[in-house]
Amino acid sequence: MSIAPTPSGPPALELRHVEKAFGAVIALRSGSLALRKNSIHALVGENGAGKSTLVKIIAGLYQRDAGDFLLEGESVDFKSTAESKAAGIAVIYQEPTLFPDLSVTENIFMGRQPTNRFGRIDRKAMRAEAVGLFQRLGVRIDPDRPAEGLSIADQQIIEIAKAISLDASVLVMDEPTAALSGVEVDRLFAVARSLRDEGRALLFISHRFDEVFDLCDTITVMRDGDYISTDPIADSTVDEIVRRMVGRDVTDLFPKQDAVIGEPVLEVRGLNSAGVFHDISFDLRAGEILGLAGLVGAGRSEVVRAVFGVDPYQSGSVTINGRRVPPNSPTAAMNLGLALVPEDRRKQGLVLESSVARNTTMAIRRSLSKAGLLTSGAENAAARVWDARLEVKTNALDTEAGTLSGGNQQKVVLAKWLATNPKVLIIDEPTRGIDVGTKAEVHRLLSELAGQGMAILMISSELPEVLGMADRVLVMREGRITAELSRDDATAETVMSAATRTAATTHAEERAS
Amino acid sequence: MTTLTQTSPPQTPRSGSAVGRALGHFIRARETGILLAVLLVIVVTTVKNPSFVFSSDGWRDLLLTPSILVLVAVGQAMVIITRSVDLSVGSVLGLTAYLTGRLFIDIPGIPMIVVFLAGIVFGGLLGLINGALVAFAKVPALVITLGTLYAYRGINVVWAGSNRINASDMPKDFLALGTGQFLSIPLLTIIALVVLIAAGWYMKNTRGGREFYAIGSDPAAAGLYGLRVVRRLLIAFVASGALAGLAGVLYAARYGTVNSQAGSGWELDAVGAAVIGGVAIFGGSGTVWGAAIGAVLLLTINRALPILGVPDFWQRAVVGALIIGAIVLDRVLSLRQSKRLLEAREDSK
Ligand SMILES: Nc1ncnc2c1ncn2[C@@H]1O[C@H](COP(=O)(O)OP(=O)(O)OP(=O)(O)O)[C@@H](O)[C@H]1O
Ligand SMILES: [Mg+2]
């Protein structure tokens, strides 16, 4: 019995010089990867480097144009996802792919539900298995509710549950943690490690280096569709990896400049929405970056959606420079100078079938048009400025937004809202799924905008981002604000404890302080 | 670090006895509403004219009239649930009805069972053509089946010409099927019920059935799941065709006369029945039960309106209003549901 992985045997899964083009776009020039049993392998690269394309080839969703694909040393050609599944490969895709009308349980087991002798689905057994999976992942999701309306984090967790339940020998995870916060990530990692110890091969894609270094043992770097290097994690440093990914040095990830903090611009008072959030009051000042921290599901996104007028609220008020923002009217909020970059960008921020330029200028079309006419010249010029600033990687501005890589889609949505030049920018997870180079760029941009007097409310589940960028931090838990911390007081410990303490003690402490 | 998310066990749905839960489920079900509408129509009409139910003919017609449409609507629902639509069912029904008559004329003494099988298989083949065109040509089903609606009808016209099948061309036993009863329930109704129960069971309880819903709910996700989308689509269209074929045979038995226009317009009744019965036109939700009850409502209203003194030309308008009403109702319900789900998600944290 071999205990350590045997480097001499064939890898569990191997890709050699795999190529893939979509029309004129070359997504993969030469992708190579070797996954071994008992190992968690990291795959990193900039947005658009070709990671997801590689994953989809492994999944059988795309067929490679050239190169070798070996499973346990045997050459394979998957023509469909069903074939790769049957060969023991489970894949968590970057974008959750659930059936909104079906229950959470059915979503996990679709196509392979447990059945009795007569082919009748054994709903009880299926449900029990789902409950077991959620227990293993340490989450509470009602297994009977439909998938429709689940938060991205919950959708992601269902994807994970689905993949784990497949009992596959190769598990591929394309940015599974992008929507998750610390606690859920820890849980996922515990499960991933136990799968590794059972002798499976895992592939983990992430833009968060702390996670990569925490979880993985080997790391492969890609750039522009090419394989760059593979090394043991123990021999690698973040700086070195980043340099290989980006092709240059990324010096400062949190370039927070000190800004002059002015008068309150946005005032939120006593906002309530039954069952969602309670008694939310805060001020946001000009030039300030206010971080909104908390666990996923604490109600942060819901609060900002209500502030912006997308979701209703029962009581309370929102004002900008003393002028009341009417509830339920995003248009009015926009006219008053509010912008919201939503959490679910793919669904709420992009028109996937439209061009990149059209998407970028969507929110400023009226100001771009002359006498009611919008020329594509004006549209492209405006789009070019912002897309260049955010380094959107695309062949042409008339590319369909839906074909961009996940991270590049995010950038387009960001560009769209920054182009409106708002007084108050609310941004939900500004750098989710965005690579290091651009992350630093987004941070620099936010900091610069604040320096020019823009008031910024930033929701982030990434602690370093909150701590590195915010002038002040609000922490939410279970729909309430449980702490307000100045930049100096905000540390990983203070934020996390405010995000997780039980309700009773928090209130007592709040009163006391 | 222990946190909230892990301390309590997964949320279970509100407790209560199994019976209570089943009852609650029944009350909330979309199908219940239409069932109540059917009962209301029957009660109101019966008050006006008791023979609507309380006469042997009234009772028989009440059950018999919708039976054939129920079959077609069940097939239609299966197709719509997979996010397609089959507009050719009326033409398929017409063709198989004519085929039925021809078989009895051209092959004297042909056993009834063979005729039934021939109708079902022929309908299934026509459905297969639809399915294959939709699945492989990647043209929307609406366009494809609109095309086959005309094509199949055209074949029927060429084949039948001005000929007509008459009751005298078909055996007595066969015609007796169309109006016969068992324990005062029409045989056609029994056939429709058996098919309905089987289809309902299949759609609810088997992997295959659930895949129809998955594909209709999000076809792209179905591909990623590795579901055999093409196969499911073919099965749905074959089922719809075969049921329309069976309906064609029964049509011949029930009405005794078949010309080249038999069944024209039935596709709209079938789609209408499904929509009224709560089958979402964009797929993914609804049940064959709902579609069946929708068919009953549609045809019962058609018969009730004259009794209630509603002028002829208003009757189509009423049906139209019903369909629009059903779609609006579904939209409102689904908005409410989304909202409720959003709140439930916060509550469960
Ligand atoms: N279906 C498609 N059609 C056209 N181009 C595509 C398609 N899929 C991917 N591409 C292009 O291929 C390139 C690689 O994309 P891919 O999604 O693999 O990147 P990625 O490494 O996963 O990036 P990210 O970190 O942003 O998720 C991108 O330039 C993208 O625009
Ligand atoms: Mg990707």
Side-chain angles (χ1 to χ4, degrees), chain A residues 57-130:
Chain A
I57 287 173
I58 294 175
L61 190 66
Y62 294 161
Q63 281 72 44
R64 62 189 189 278
D65 298 335
D68 301 316
F69 183 177
L70 305 148
L71 208 60
E72 304 280 356
E74 307 264 340
S75 176
V76 286
D77 266 307
F78 296 138
K79 289 187 190 56
S80 70
T81 50
E83 288 180 24
S84 79
K85 221 180 210 178
I89 299 175
V91 177
I92 299 173
Y93 299 97
Q94 188 167 4
E95 315 293 344
T97 48
L98 300 178
F99 303 114
D101 301 291
L102 303 185
S103 76
V104 163
T105 305
E106 279 204 287
N107 263 287
I108 297 177
F109 295 102
M110 182 51 68
R112 51 196 179 83
Q113 299 94 331
T115 52
N116 69 10
R117 269 181 306 146
F118 309 106
R120 183 179 205 274
I121 293 172
D122 188 344
R123 285 175 195 272
K124 255 204 192 128
M126 188 162 86
R127 187 177 187 282
E129 224 177 302

Side-chain angles (χ1 to χ4, degrees), chain A residues 47-48 50-53 56 94-95 174-175 205 207 405-407:
Chain A
N47 297 134
K51 305 180 296 294
S52 298
T53 306
K56 287 173 185 164
Q94 188 167 4
E95 315 293 344
D174 194 354
E175 301 195 33
I205 298 178
H207 288 292
S405 81

Side-chain angles (χ1 to χ4, degrees), chain A residues 102 111 147 234 271 307 318 321 329-330 345 380 385 397 401 433 489:
Chain A
L102 303 185
L271 224 52
V307 167
V318 179
N321 289 333
S329 171
R345 282 168 219 164
N380 284 342
V385 173
L397 284 169
D489 294 341

Side-chain angles (χ1 to χ4, degrees), chain B residues 2-53:
Chain B
T2 336
T3 66
L4 297 160
T5 33
Q6 18 187 301
T7 39
S8 22
Q11 193 201 19
T12 42
R14 1 252 149 267
S15 53
S17 68
V19 177
R21 221 177 307 141
L23 195 70
H25 209 81
F26 177 74
I27 290 170
R28 272 196 303 275
R30 172 71 167 71
E31 289 78 9
T32 313
I34 328 151
L35 197 59
L36 290 178
V38 172
L39 293 178
L40 185 76
V41 169
I42 294 175
V43 168
V44 169
T45 317
T46 309
V47 167
K48 176 107 188 197
N49 179 358
S51 72
F52 190 67
V53 171

Side-chain angles (χ1 to χ4, degrees), chain A residues 313-357:
Chain A
Y313 50 89
Q314 274 94 47
S315 62
S317 71
V318 179
T319 54
I320 290 183
N321 289 333
R323 294 180 60 189
R324 180 87 199 266
V325 181
N328 293 324
S329 171
T331 322
M334 266 168 75
N335 290 340
L336 285 168
L338 200 62
L340 169 69
V341 183
E343 170 190 33
D344 188 346
R345 282 168 219 164
R346 207 176 152 85
K347 287 215 183 88
Q348 297 168 4
L350 273 185
V351 182
L352 295 175
E353 298 80 18
S354 286
S355 72
V356 170

